[in-house]
Amino acid sequence: MIIFISGGVRSGKSYFAEQKAMELASDSKQLHYIATSILYDEEMKKRIRKHQEDRTKSSLQWNTVECSANIGELASRFSKKDVVLIDCLTTLLANEMFSEQNEDEQSILLALKKIAKNSFAVIIVSNEIFSGGTMYEQETLNYMRKLGRLHVDIAAIAKEVYLVENGIPRKKKG
């Protein structure tokens, strides 16, 4: 099962995703958090620390894996007793586009499907970045097109899709 959650930056989507993961894991499932961010600056460090503290405070044990690229390599780690939260697709795509291997969005989609096939549930978090128009450099527009295709493809195969705005999740599918 795939659950797709998107929303603006600091919209509450990660908190909602964590709550959803814990809800699904309540039947003795293992919780896994795949962090795709690369630590670049003090602001990112604070955000990562807050997410870590939130998971530590939860009543369930989280297994955290840092994986900024080649996420498909993790698929064999999971079983049908696992709930996997991937935060976030936006960062993963950027990391892949600028890595030496330069994975495309279809490779990422295949990797996500592999993880989902091996797991009980996969929750994928992503950012909505499409409300700012099209006045961007070509490389940014290319990134936005790829992310948009990934969003459409993931939403098509997801059992549930949510859009989180102002801390309020709205169910769009399922």
Side-chain angles (χ1 to χ4, degrees):
M1 165 176 38
I2 294 175
I3 298 172
F4 182 57
I5 300 170
S6 67
V9 174
R10 298 212 170 112
S11 63
K13 63 191 175 299
S14 293
Y15 176 78
F16 175 68
E18 290 172 7
Q19 298 304 306
K20 192 77 170 159
M22 290 188 292
E23 177 186 310
L24 291 169
S26 63
D27 299 358
S28 72
K29 303 277 189 298
Q30 292 290 312
L31 275 170
H32 301 271
Y33 184 96
I34 300 176
T36 63
S37 292
I38 298 172
L39 185 58
Y40 285 113
D41 58 21
E42 196 59 38
E43 175 68 18
M44 182 60 79
K45 190 182 217 177
K46 287 178 187 175
R47 291 176 70 187
I48 289 171
R49 192 172 24 242
K50 183 193 178 318
H51 284 293
Q52 289 169 336
E53 289 170 2
D54 289 346
R55 289 192 305 277
T56 301
K57 289 177 190 173
S58 80
S59 59
L60 300 172
Q61 173 82 28
W62 288 83
N63 301 309
T64 301
V65 178
E66 294 184 20
C67 184
S68 61
N70 303 314
I71 200 165
E73 293 177 0
L74 300 177
S76 63
R77 291 186 180 198
F78 305 117
S79 74
K80 291 298 178 185
K81 291 188 174 208
D82 294 318
V83 175
V84 180
L85 191 155
I86 301 170
D87 197 357
C88 84
L89 181 66
T90 318
T91 304
L92 177 64
L93 176 61
N95 294 343
E96 291 286 8
M97 284 179 65
F98 299 106
S99 73
E100 289 179 17
Q101 292 174 321
N102 195 15
E103 295 287 336
D104 65 7
E105 67 276 14
Q106 291 308 305
S107 298
I108 294 170
L109 183 63
L110 287 174
L112 295 171
K113 286 179 180 179
K114 276 173 51 177
I115 293 170
K117 182 180 177 192
N118 290 354
S119 306
F120 174 73
V122 175
I123 300 171
I124 303 165
V125 177
S126 193
N127 287 304
E128 287 297 325
I129 61 169
F130 306 102
S131 62
T134 59
M135 299 300 292
Y136 297 103
E137 297 293 325
Q138 190 58 41
E139 194 168 21
T140 302
L141 290 172
N142 184 37
Y143 169 78
M144 292 172 73
R145 275 193 288 281
K146 288 181 179 199
L147 185 62
R149 278 193 294 265
L150 266 172
H151 282 193
V152 170
D153 291 344
I154 292 169
I157 61 173
K159 181 177 181 183
E160 297 177 12
V161 176
Y162 295 88
L163 176 64
V164 180
E165 296 176 304
N166 305 314
I168 302 168
R170 293 187 312 171
K171 195 173 204 177
K172 304 297 247 175
K173 178 183 177 182

